[in-house]
Amino acid sequence: MEAEEDVQTVLTQETHELADILSYQDDAVLAILYKMMDSRARERLVRLASHRERILGVLNYFRTTDPAICRQFLQMVCMHCDMPMRLESRLMSVAGSVTSDPWPTPARETLSLCDPEEVIENNSYTLVDEYIPSQGWCAKRPRIDHVESYKSAVRRFLLQRWERVMQGVVKEVLLEEAWVSLRHRTHVRPRDRADGALSPSELPQGDEEGAVEDRVTVHSLLGSEAQVTLLLGQAGSGKTLLMHCLGQKWTQGAFPSFHLLILLEFRQLNLVARPLSLKELLFRFFLPPEGGEEECTAVLDFILENPEKICLIFDGYDEFHTKITHSGKLSSPLCPLPMAELISGLCSRRILPGCTLLITCRPRDVTDLESSVDCIGELLGFNQRSVKEYAEQYFQDKGLDLKEKAVSHLLANHHLLTMCYLPALCHICCVCLDHIFSSGGSQLLPQLPNTLTQVYLQILCAFLSRCPGSSTPLLQSHRAEVTLLGRLAMRGLEGSKIVFLSEEVPPDLVDFATKAGLLSQVDLTHEDGSKGQGYTFMHLTMQEFLGALHIMTSEDITDAQLRKKFNFKTRWTTKSDPKTVFTDSLHLYVCGLAAPACSSYLIQLVRGVGAVGWVKKRLALVRKLLRSLAMSTNLTGPKVVELCHCVQETQDAQLAREMVGSRPCFELRNITLNPVDLDALAFVVSSAGVGIGLDFGACSMELECLDILPSCQHIDFLMFICGNLTDVGAAKLARALESCPLITELNFSDNSLTDSGVREIADIFPKLPSLASVSLGRNGCSLESIYILLEKITSSPSIQGLYAE
């Protein structure tokens, strides 16, 4: 009686874990289990709505049926399903071996365990032979042991990596709060046409494939049906941290459909020059099996036979030296292949078809991979609430007075707040404010940085102040070390290198830079499998900043070399562009260092009596390069945005006037814009002091961008066609337009506005004294909305034309 009670008690206690395991079994296995039930119970299962409900129905049936049948059910589950060793041992301990007839029916036939297709039914039960371990079952047991052993080792390994990655991270990482703008299949991208824009016929319409974005969490990326996902994010958006968080969540039981989750980094794979097989890739550069070749063979066999239970994450494609191309050739996972071809085979499902693959990269490299992925997502940054939470946690242990002062200044400084929408920059701004307020003495309002470059100058000074022997001015007291770090950073950027081998960095510099926090140590696996150590800068953006500092202070860099290194790239690229890495921000910092406010810092790093004159000459050269771009009339929309960033970094109002004066309109069509982009645009437009049109046709942007629009001040006309502008966005936009009294034309055609949104827009007509033309074509307007528009026009005498449908 105790044994009979135990079997049902154990099944009750393990129901939820068994439900997860059974939910991912083949139909043939489930058919055997279904047919062990009586016909009435099976009929009830059919009426249940979801697959998971039917699985729970099966488990509930056997929890309450005859204990002998419950034991037989558990035996069949253990035989046909892979499961953790702990669970299988517990189930078999109560199920035992059937030595007498478990079926309470007189009629009996046999079913071979080796042939689950042969099912013979009577009126009540499926007839199943006694459990007799066969040679096949005995052969399966060691393989399961090896796979479970490797799975446990992978869990430990991913947790160790997670703990290392989390060192110094202030705020808890919540996958449920990390949002992604997701597009299934391919999405429309800007083309580098001469006029920089798409014609209206080329713009995506609301019902076209790829035109509709879904907003999902990072956590849901591994729970979707898509097998190959490309996750985009700017440098500093948190891609690497989130990928390690996915691994950590898997170790805690999330994503139960994956028996193994394997996380690889392209920065490590760059060290491999020779061809590799899939086996070498996984077991040399991820985690070697502890059980030797026997375990290695068993785990590889499991991976090849069960690709749907495998999740592969490749982080940082933008750091990969080689461009992935898709040849279409058949590939064998057992044969050595060049690294790029091996990754291509996984993307195109020629290797491990059915596995789940997640690749991260910066937006500029999307063109290499977009043709072979199921969906493309782009990480969305912080919002104002997230920035406030992060800043409060950062200053939590630094005293109440400092915390309140720093957080209030951060939220009140619009430019700093906008920078903080990028998570890495949020952390950097907090470090910057900590340094400024901690060293500001009794000064009530110290000078806050106006640009990203000035923020990084403060960060550099904050790190240098940690070093022994520091004195003011900090850059001058550590001139030799900063010069060496700048040279190392530039050498890495020129060689597309983010990881430096230990022999490439002088020991004295390693000691200084690691104590300062500017360099971090990383573990490496070399091509031959041997272990080693390397170093990376605290972040790629710091490497770029130090590289720009080298360009602006090194007499070894001639004017001609500076022109060549001033590589004006955007984060949007076309398929014809060569793969380039590490160039997102170098030119931006060069422009920022050309601002007058940075001159004193540069002079500290230049030797000799003629330092002041030399620095002035270098600054003038950078402004001359920018002026030629500002006067150009054939820049594409993405390059216009990038130029706005550069002009903002220089804080040069004359450059802004020349840029605005050379074009009647900024055409920024069909690109994704973030608050930082709008902030740069607002600086240029407001600094110029003259009117200009803004064309955001088919652009995607967050609602926070609309908060920045009033800062533009001098807008002649505004176009938001094909922008999926919703009623919520229309309400926010209407409030923003109240601060733009000079606007003469509004065009909101081809959006998702209903009567509510149209009313919001109509309400601002009387508040815009210069408004002459309004277009609201192809929206969801009713006849009632048309009457409201006409009513508002009567109180807005400046309006000469209205178009609505």
Side-chain angles (χ1 to χ4, degrees), residues 79 112-114 131-143:
M79 178 179 176
S112 169
L113 288 175
C114 299
Y131 175 72
I132 304 173
S134 64
Q135 289 185 347
W137 170 250
C138 294
K140 178 187 173 188
R141 175 73 269 159
R143 194 180 92 169

Side-chain angles (χ1 to χ4, degrees), residues 573-625:
T573 57
T574 64
K575 291 183 178 178
S576 60
D577 288 338
K579 178 175 171 63
T580 54
V581 292
F582 308 139
T583 56
D584 277 358
S585 305
L586 179 64
H587 63 283
L588 201 64
Y589 297 128
V590 168
C591 294
L593 291 171
C598 298
S599 297
S600 61
Y601 294 95
L602 299 182
I603 291 170
Q604 294 177 43
L605 295 174
V606 178
R607 299 177 183 273
V609 292
V612 174
W614 191 91
V615 167
K616 285 184 177 179
K617 181 182 176 183
R618 184 127 294 188
L619 267 56
L621 174 59
V622 174
R623 285 197 292 269
K624 181 181 178 181
L625 293 173

Side-chain angles (χ1 to χ4, degrees), residues 259-279:
H259 204 80
L260 291 174
L261 187 146
I262 295 166
L263 173 57
L264 294 155
E265 295 179 322
F266 279 104
R267 65 173 59 177
Q268 165 70 75
L269 300 182
N270 280 332
L271 301 178
V272 183
R274 68 175 184 83
L276 292 181
S277 65
L278 180 65
K279 175 183 175 181

Side-chain angles (χ1 to χ4, degrees), residues 70 83 85 134 216 281 287 294 377 379 386 502 523 550 619 631 670:
C70 184
M83 63 184 69
M85 176 69 77
S134 64
V216 302
L281 173 68
L287 182 65
E294 183 179 348
L379 271 174
S386 303
S502 55
D523 296 326
H550 175 72
L619 267 56
M631 300 296 290
N670 200 31

Side-chain angles (χ1 to χ4, degrees), residues 598-659:
C598 298
S599 297
S600 61
Y601 294 95
L602 299 182
I603 291 170
Q604 294 177 43
L605 295 174
V606 178
R607 299 177 183 273
V609 292
V612 174
W614 191 91
V615 167
K616 285 184 177 179
K617 181 182 176 183
R618 184 127 294 188
L619 267 56
L621 174 59
V622 174
R623 285 197 292 269
K624 181 181 178 181
L625 293 173
L626 275 178
R627 184 163 288 109
S628 64
L629 288 168
M631 300 296 290
S632 173
T633 58
N634 62 353
L635 295 180
T636 62
K639 289 193 174 180
V640 168
V641 175
E642 200 65 29
L643 184 56
C644 286
H645 283 291
C646 292
V647 173
Q648 182 186 35
E649 287 296 308
T650 66
Q651 296 287 288
D652 192 327
Q654 180 57 35
L655 268 177
R657 282 190 289 273
E658 290 172 353
M659 183 177 177

